[in-house]
Tab-separated table of all heavy atoms in Angstrom:
chain	number	residue	atom	x	y	z
O	182	THR	N	-0.660	-29.946	27.246
O	182	THR	CA	0.479	-30.101	28.155
O	182	THR	C	0.025	-29.457	29.444
O	182	THR	O	-0.466	-28.318	29.458
O	182	THR	CB	1.764	-29.714	27.701
O	182	THR	OG1	1.549	-28.273	27.416
O	182	THR	CG2	2.251	-30.474	26.466
O	183	ILE	N	0.232	-30.022	30.651
O	183	ILE	CA	0.015	-29.413	31.878
O	183	ILE	C	1.162	-29.444	32.713
O	183	ILE	O	1.837	-30.468	32.920
O	183	ILE	CB	-1.310	-30.261	32.591
O	183	ILE	CG1	-2.537	-30.196	31.808
O	183	ILE	CG2	-1.476	-29.651	33.893
O	183	ILE	CD1	-3.692	-30.948	32.243
O	184	LYS	N	1.541	-28.298	33.236
O	184	LYS	CA	2.624	-28.296	34.084
O	184	LYS	C	2.216	-27.527	35.400
O	184	LYS	O	1.791	-26.347	35.306
O	184	LYS	CB	3.866	-27.429	33.366
O	184	LYS	CG	4.455	-28.325	32.193
O	184	LYS	CD	5.552	-27.633	31.601
O	184	LYS	CE	6.175	-28.388	30.404
O	184	LYS	NZ	7.294	-27.766	29.787
O	185	ALA	N	2.698	-27.889	36.484
O	185	ALA	CA	2.327	-27.192	37.739
O	185	ALA	C	2.941	-25.826	37.778
O	185	ALA	O	2.321	-24.847	38.361
O	185	ALA	CB	2.898	-28.101	38.932
O	186	ALA	N	4.093	-25.757	37.247
O	186	ALA	CA	4.761	-24.420	37.330
O	186	ALA	C	3.921	-23.291	36.539
O	186	ALA	O	4.002	-22.134	36.806
O	186	ALA	CB	6.128	-24.382	36.652
O	187	ALA	N	3.111	-23.775	35.524
O	187	ALA	CA	2.306	-22.848	34.906
O	187	ALA	C	1.161	-22.180	35.633
O	187	ALA	O	0.581	-21.273	35.202
O	187	ALA	CB	1.779	-23.416	33.541
O	188	LEU	N	0.902	-22.860	36.795
O	188	LEU	CA	-0.200	-22.331	37.710
O	188	LEU	C	0.150	-21.032	38.267
O	188	LEU	O	-0.587	-20.211	38.852
O	188	LEU	CB	-0.580	-23.403	38.724
O	188	LEU	CG	-1.156	-24.715	38.266
O	188	LEU	CD1	-1.222	-25.672	39.367
O	188	LEU	CD2	-2.578	-24.314	37.674
O	189	ILE	N	1.474	-20.682	38.357
O	189	ILE	CA	1.995	-19.542	38.975
O	189	ILE	C	1.835	-18.227	38.050
O	189	ILE	O	2.073	-18.447	36.729
O	189	ILE	CB	3.385	-19.643	39.335
O	189	ILE	CG1	3.551	-20.804	40.343
O	189	ILE	CG2	3.910	-18.347	40.062
O	189	ILE	CD1	4.974	-21.107	40.835
O	190	GLY	N	1.366	-17.177	38.427
O	190	GLY	CA	1.234	-16.008	37.587
O	190	GLY	C	0.104	-15.990	36.787
O	190	GLY	O	-0.968	-16.437	37.112
O	191	ARG	N	0.230	-15.575	35.427
O	191	ARG	CA	-0.844	-15.534	34.482
O	191	ARG	C	-1.305	-16.751	33.827
O	191	ARG	O	-2.267	-16.953	33.201
O	191	ARG	CB	-0.424	-14.485	33.487
O	191	ARG	CG	-0.163	-13.052	33.887
O	191	ARG	CD	0.369	-12.188	32.913
O	191	ARG	NE	-0.511	-12.133	31.725
O	191	ARG	CZ	-0.154	-11.616	30.589
O	191	ARG	NH1	0.988	-11.002	30.469
O	191	ARG	NH2	-1.048	-11.581	29.518
O	192	GLY	N	-0.386	-17.908	34.030
O	192	GLY	CA	-0.606	-19.134	33.411
O	192	GLY	C	-1.822	-19.728	33.941
O	192	GLY	O	-2.365	-19.599	35.089
O	193	SER	N	-2.526	-20.633	33.068
O	193	SER	CA	-3.797	-21.327	33.543
O	193	SER	C	-3.418	-22.793	34.003
O	193	SER	O	-4.271	-23.409	34.466
O	193	SER	CB	-4.779	-21.445	32.393
O	193	SER	OG	-4.069	-22.182	31.198
O	194	GLY	N	-2.132	-23.114	33.708
O	194	GLY	CA	-1.730	-24.474	34.138
O	194	GLY	C	-2.045	-25.504	32.964
O	194	GLY	O	-1.520	-26.633	33.052
O	195	GLU	N	-2.589	-25.076	31.828
O	195	GLU	CA	-2.853	-25.917	30.683
O	195	GLU	C	-2.365	-25.173	29.514
O	195	GLU	O	-2.901	-24.038	29.174
O	195	GLU	CB	-4.278	-26.348	30.681
O	195	GLU	CG	-4.660	-27.246	29.386
O	195	GLU	CD	-6.069	-27.645	29.426
O	195	GLU	OE1	-6.879	-26.776	29.276
O	195	GLU	OE2	-6.180	-28.865	29.462
O	196	ALA	N	-1.559	-25.717	28.708
O	196	ALA	CA	-1.193	-25.131	27.355
O	196	ALA	C	-1.699	-26.005	26.346
O	196	ALA	O	-1.619	-27.355	26.361
O	196	ALA	CB	0.317	-25.108	27.398
O	197	VAL	N	-2.184	-25.412	25.165
O	197	VAL	CA	-2.747	-26.099	24.111
O	197	VAL	C	-2.029	-25.679	22.911
O	197	VAL	O	-1.731	-24.559	22.525
O	197	VAL	CB	-4.293	-25.720	23.965
O	197	VAL	CG1	-4.855	-26.338	22.746
O	197	VAL	CG2	-5.039	-26.133	25.135
Side-chain angles (χ1 to χ4, degrees):
T182 57
I183 301 178
K184 295 183 179 180
L188 294 171
I189 302 173
R191 297 172 58 190
S193 64
E195 179 179 61
V197 178

